Amino acid sequence: MNNFVSDSFKNKNVLLGITGGIAAYKACLIIRELVTRGADVKVVMTPAASEFITPLTLSTLSGNDVVVKSFPASQKEGVSLRTWHIETALWADIMLIAPLTINTLAKISCGMADNALTTMVSAIRSPLVLAPAADLDMYQKPSTLENINKLTDRGSFIIDAEIGFLASGLTGPGRMASVEKIIDATELVLSGYKKDLVGKRILITAGPTLEDIDPVRFIGNRSSGKMGYKLANSAFLRGADVTLISGPTNENTYPEVKVIYVRSAAEMKIAVEYELKKNDILIKAAAVADYKPSVFNEIKLKKENKLKSIELSETEDILASINKENKIVVGFALETDNEITNAKSKLDKKNLDMIVLNSLKDSGAGFESDTNKISIIKKDGNKKDFDLNTKFQIANNILTELKTIK
Ligand code: CTP
């Protein structure tokens, strides 16, 4: 582990809008995350939101006054009494509204400015990130969907509500996205990315494969799976349809990403072959074991048997053997020496469009770390080096490079 934090939020001014839904309680966690990551957070809330959560809580967490009223009677009520809506709107590098009720969604979509929050939206110049939330029937009403589409077309970044257990006791679409996903989406937009992968179907592999010796022992590669999972998250946020084939890891992705869990290289190969038919792009971030025990012992090997060696045989090279016709294929290479030569040779031998090279010589790069330092080499020999960054930001670098491949 390392303490490197992406500077995406550092010294950034985030204007958080909160509207009156039960998910307003999650705004506390959002503020905490933003402040921890170095952002200056100001809150504007609707009067209805203050029924769910108090301005005192929000101003304590954000360290700033909270705006509720359009016409505060005095400075004490939260804002300076001049053109506060213009000043705050110009101050903001980004405006996030979470939760966004269908009422405020409707107001914003038709340009109303009838309270402090909607007035601020009408004055904002910076990007708008919206996390709608409602009960399932409210969320699925044609008017709600139309308003979401309207704001998407106008350039707002919508974090769609998730399917899940709702406050009403019903289960379905409408639950506000997780705090983690909202923070990721805000970072994505602050970093200049948008939903530029809509219509792309991306298959990603992640984690190690484990090759069993007996029911309790295995051989495998060191791999946390973090790079592959961050790739899945960023590709999803950027609008792609994502399938993740994962070896055993402790990582989680968003609920909308389809995950197929595998254990061995042989299982991963079957899954990749099957899923690749349905996808346009394969990113093979998994650390596949090159060897497996030639024999699997059904019964646990006992110490008294004095095992001296295990006979190994090669696993199949998935990347080298799959049918790549009409697919864009990206491989990874983790090297300790002759990095560029080795990566280029893998690119050629496995017939890849692009290879992502990690050098274990770089501190903060490679497995188990939250950061990575990579070079990308394309089929035409073009090489690009990237600075050390979080795996989420590195994932975005990889996806942006991938977009240039025809
Ligand atoms: N790979 C694969 N199937 C394997 C081994 C590797 O699909 N049996 C893929 C990995 O997912 C990665 C790329 O090939 O995208 C390179 O993996 P790496 O382990 O670096 O290369 P190897 O070909 O195994 O070579 P070596 O271990 O000798 O460096």
Side-chain angles (χ1 to χ4, degrees), residues 284 286 288-290 315-319 331-334 346 350:
K284 198 125 197 334
V288 185
D290 289 328
T315 59
E316 257 194 275
D317 192 313
I318 305 169
L319 208 42
F332 272 68
L334 179 66
K346 281 177 192 171
K350 303 193 188 200

Side-chain angles (χ1 to χ4, degrees), residues 166-180:
L166 302 165
S168 60
L170 299 172
T171 299
R175 190 169 70 178
M176 186 171 82
S178 65
V179 171
E180 186 198 356

Side-chain angles (χ1 to χ4, degrees), residues 21 31 62 76 83 85-86 109 117 136 140 142 167 170 174 199-200 253 279 314 364:
I31 298 172
S62 66
K76 283 205 182 72
T83 50
H85 57 300
I86 306 293
S109 80
L117 189 149
L136 83 166
Q140 291 179 110
L170 299 172
K200 302 268 186 246
T253 182
N279 285 276
E314 273 185 61

Side-chain angles (χ1 to χ4, degrees), residues 213-262:
I213 299 166
D214 68 15
V216 291
R217 303 178 183 96
F218 58 83
I219 56 169
N221 285 6
R222 275 178 72 184
S223 167
S224 62
K226 283 179 182 165
M227 193 64 245
Y229 275 73
K230 293 294 178 200
L231 274 161
N233 288 357
S234 6
F236 171 77
L237 289 176
R238 287 169 71 168
D241 181 66
V242 184
T243 303
L244 180 65
I245 298 175
S246 174
T249 76
N250 292 320
E251 296 299 305
N252 286 307
T253 182
Y254 310 137
E256 297 88 346
V257 171
K258 175 180 164 191
V259 189
I260 297 159
Y261 295 100
V262 297

Side-chain angles (χ1 to χ4, degrees), residues 147-168:
N147 289 334
I148 288 176
N149 289 339
K150 213 192 275 182
L151 289 171
T152 303
D153 293 345
R154 286 191 208 141
S156 296
F157 190 100
I158 311 283
I159 312 167
D160 286 319
E162 295 176 1
I163 295 171
F165 181 74
L166 302 165
S168 60

Side-chain angles (χ1 to χ4, degrees), residues 68-358:
V68 188
K69 291 183 183 171
S70 292
F71 303 104
S74 73
Q75 186 95 19
K76 283 205 182 72
E77 289 191 37
V79 289
S80 63
L81 297 174
R82 283 163 288 125
T83 50
W84 54 268
H85 57 300
I86 306 293
E87 281 160 28
T88 315
L90 293 180
W91 166 88
D93 293 307
I94 194 160
M95 182 172 188
L96 162 68
I97 307 182
L100 173 65
T101 56
I102 64 159
N103 182 39
T104 301
L105 168 73
K107 288 181 187 179
I108 296 174
S109 80
C110 61
M112 282 173 70
D114 68 335
N115 61 33
L117 189 149
T118 51
T119 304
M120 214 82 96
V121 173
S122 69
I124 202 94
R125 286 185 187 174
S126 47
L128 201 53
V129 177
L130 307 173
D135 210 71
L136 83 166
D137 295 305
M138 297 161 81
Y139 195 73
Q140 291 179 110
K141 278 277 172 318
S143 52
T144 305
L145 302 176
E146 265 172 44
N147 289 334
I148 288 176
N149 289 339
K150 213 192 275 182
L151 289 171
T152 303
D153 293 345
R154 286 191 208 141
S156 296
F157 190 100
I158 311 283
I159 312 167
D160 286 319
E162 295 176 1
I163 295 171
F165 181 74
L166 302 165
S168 60
L170 299 172
T171 299
R175 190 169 70 178
M176 186 171 82
S178 65
V179 171
E180 186 198 356
K181 198 201 271 173
I182 290 173
I183 296 291
D184 287 349
T186 309
E187 177 172 355
L188 192 89
V189 176
L190 258 182
S191 309
Y193 298 106
K194 53 184 185 207
K195 292 191 185 174
D196 54 351
L197 297 175
V198 173
K200 302 268 186 246
R201 291 168 304 168
I202 307 186
L203 178 63
I204 297 166
T205 69
T209 67
L210 304 183
E211 312 299 327
D212 291 328
I213 299 166
D214 68 15
V216 291
R217 303 178 183 96
F218 58 83
I219 56 169
N221 285 6
R222 275 178 72 184
S223 167
S224 62
K226 283 179 182 165
M227 193 64 245
Y229 275 73
K230 293 294 178 200
L231 274 161
N233 288 357
S234 6
F236 171 77
L237 289 176
R238 287 169 71 168
D241 181 66
V242 184
T243 303
L244 180 65
I245 298 175
S246 174
T249 76
N250 292 320
E251 296 299 305
N252 286 307
T253 182
Y254 310 137
E256 297 88 346
V257 171
K258 175 180 164 191
V259 189
I260 297 159
Y261 295 100
V262 297
R263 183 167 174 85
S264 63
E267 281 174 21
M268 183 171 279
K269 181 168 187 278
I270 293 168
V272 169
E273 280 175 347
Y274 183 76
E275 294 296 327
L276 189 56
K277 292 181 194 133
K278 298 181 259 173
N279 285 276
D280 319 306
I281 297 166
L282 170 65
I283 308 178
K284 198 125 197 334
V288 185
D290 289 328
Y291 294 96
K292 62 178 180 189
S294 302
V295 180
F296 170 69
N297 290 277
E298 305 274 351
I299 294 165
K300 186 183 171 193
L301 293 166
K302 300 304 285 177
K303 218 184 334 187
E304 59 258 31
N305 293 350
K306 304 285 177 208
L307 182 70
K308 291 279 184 311
S309 60
I310 300 169
E311 195 189 299
L312 299 175
S313 50
E314 273 185 61
T315 59
E316 257 194 275
D317 192 313
I318 305 169
L319 208 42
S321 64
I322 45 154
N323 179 3
K324 302 179 188 74
E325 214 178 315
N326 298 325
K327 309 286 176 192
I328 292 175
V329 181
V330 180
F332 272 68
L334 179 66
E335 306 292 340
T336 55
D337 57 313
N338 297 321
E339 293 91 335
I340 308 219
T341 315
N342 284 340
K344 277 189 173 156
S345 130
K346 281 177 192 171
L347 180 95
D348 292 339
K349 268 200 229 146
K350 303 193 188 200
N351 187 21
L352 309 176
D353 295 288
M354 186 171 119
I355 193 151
V356 180
L357 165 66
N358 301 131

